[in-house]
Amino acid sequence: MDHLVCYTPADLAGGTPPDLSPFRWKLLAQGDSWFSNARDKLNAHANLLQELVFKSPTAAINCAGTGNALAHMVDLESSADFVRLLTGADTPAWDGVLLSVGGNDLIAAARTPAHDDGGEAIPLELRLLRRQTEWGPPSAGVARYFSEPGWATYAEYMRANVKHLLSLRDQGPSVGKPVFMHCYAVPMPRPAGAGAGDELGAGGPWLYPALKAYGVPAADWAAVSRLMVFHLAQLLKGMAADKDAFPGLFVFDSTTVPLALAAPGSTGISGDWHNEIHLNHSGCFKIARAWSEAIEMVLEGKHLIPATTGRKGRGSSHQS
């Protein structure tokens, strides 16, 4: 098994660009801080791409950059390198596109306050959390804190942006090639941000102050985080299942990978987490190894081979 070899657009445009011909699979990558090229993150092996492994030599041009800002889906088109490498007539026909998107938007939506700077209430359809006066009955569990109208807005936003990404793919030589997305792991809301000296970028914590501001009981924080991440996973998997609206989209459910949760209240590296919302090396390793298998299966066309039902036993009711 070989690790994915990652280059940047700057490498590709340099005086001696990398020779991609020895690689069986050539991929284009773009995304949020889970794909970040920040030096501290690479040194800590806390980059999801860094831990992908394949049976055949595989390379990726990673356009994610070095930041850790909560970049949004709508900002993707402003990434000139990514758009050029995806749509340009003189660019390679990539074997696939790797995307890490949607998580930052989810965090940003959860951080939307109940009131704007002028003290006016922000409508439920524009936020993911409810004020205490809007909470549902205790019988609803942690869903009582969750804004379904806000989720509907977020879901429509995600669908529109993923469709836009697929349309970009189909404007260039990589038309129809598979686009691989991952779901996210469930973070523990806690006071663990990125330090001021961290090249990942000072910031955070992210969910922790939002849940405190909305008055959500600390005992429910982990469950609220799980509810939001699972909503996103179901949304992404639903899009991938709709082959007419989202052709060539493949989504890996990261929520199925067992991870070590961070300890509630911890302020630094804990479990499989670097800080509140970013994985450390062990977390990236666990998710990437499982995602690699799913990606390679599609690249090799094995996802098109019907699964065998096994040998029929006596009295089997299976029809041939």
Side-chain angles (χ1 to χ4, degrees):
M1 302 289 282
D2 295 320
H3 277 86
L4 178 69
V5 178
C6 292
Y7 301 104
T8 67
D11 294 329
L12 207 57
T16 55
D19 180 10
L20 300 181
S21 61
F23 297 98
R24 181 182 180 190
W25 307 117
K26 292 170 269 293
L27 309 173
L28 183 65
Q30 173 62 306
D32 54 26
S33 47
W34 279 33
F35 280 9
S36 173
N37 283 314
R39 184 177 64 249
D40 288 358
K41 198 163 192 182
L42 295 177
N43 289 345
H45 296 277
N47 175 309
L48 198 57
L49 292 179
Q50 221 178 7
E51 296 304 322
L52 293 175
V53 292
F54 299 94
K55 299 186 187 77
S56 302
T58 305
I61 307 300
N62 182 13
C63 303
T66 62
N68 189 41
L70 291 180
H72 293 229
M73 290 273 296
V74 290
D75 297 327
L76 279 173
E77 192 169 4
S78 67
S79 175
D81 289 327
F82 174 69
V83 176
R84 175 178 54 81
L85 289 170
L86 185 59
T87 64
D90 58 344
T91 57
W94 306 103
D95 295 300
V97 179
L98 301 171
L99 293 176
S100 181
V101 292
N104 286 352
D105 299 272
L106 183 70
I107 297 295
R111 285 163 56 89
T112 302
H115 297 88
D116 62 21
D117 292 339
E120 294 294 320
I122 294 177
L124 265 178
E125 60 266 24
L126 298 180
R127 49 191 167 90
L128 286 186
L129 294 173
R130 293 176 175 269
R131 301 192 303 271
Q132 292 186 37
T133 56
E134 301 167 327
W135 288 355
S139 59
V142 295
R144 67 196 295 240
Y145 312 121
F146 189 66
S147 169
E148 289 294 348
W151 176 256
T153 302
Y154 172 86
E156 184 55 36
Y157 162 85
M158 280 292 295
R159 291 189 189 98
N161 278 276
V162 172
K163 284 183 179 180
H164 176 62
L165 284 165
L166 296 179
S167 74
L168 288 177
R169 172 202 60 189
D170 292 342
Q171 292 173 28
S174 301
V175 55
K177 294 294 185 177
V179 171
F180 302 100
M181 293 178 65
H182 63 79
C183 301
Y184 289 79
V186 179
M188 173 66 71
R190 61 193 180 103
D198 191 337
E199 192 183 323
L200 285 173
W206 297 266
L207 287 174
Y208 172 78
L211 293 172
K212 284 185 67 176
Y214 273 95
V216 176
D220 289 334
W221 288 355
V224 171
S225 176
R226 179 182 176 87
L227 175 71
M228 291 191 290
V229 170
F230 273 61
H231 265 64
L232 177 55
Q234 289 302 116
L235 173 63
L236 295 178
K237 291 190 292 182
M239 286 191 282
D242 186 350
K243 296 302 183 186
D244 292 329
F246 301 92
L249 177 64
F250 296 86
V251 171
F252 173 71
D253 188 356
S254 309
T255 66
T256 63
V257 179
L259 294 182
L261 284 173
S266 55
T267 59
I269 294 174
S270 180
D272 285 324
W273 296 85
H274 179 81
N275 55 38
E276 187 189 36
I277 64 172
H278 298 106
L279 298 170
N280 60 21
H281 174 225
S282 61
C284 286
F285 177 90
K286 292 173 183 177
I287 288 181
R289 293 307 163 97
W291 192 24
S292 299
E293 294 182 13
I295 293 169
E296 193 155 45
M297 182 173 291
V298 174
L299 292 175
E300 294 181 343
K302 292 181 179 178
H303 67 296
L304 300 173
I305 301 173
T308 58
T309 57
R311 182 181 301 174
K312 296 178 183 179
R314 180 178 298 177
S316 170
S317 60
H318 286 87
Q319 300 297 314
S320 56

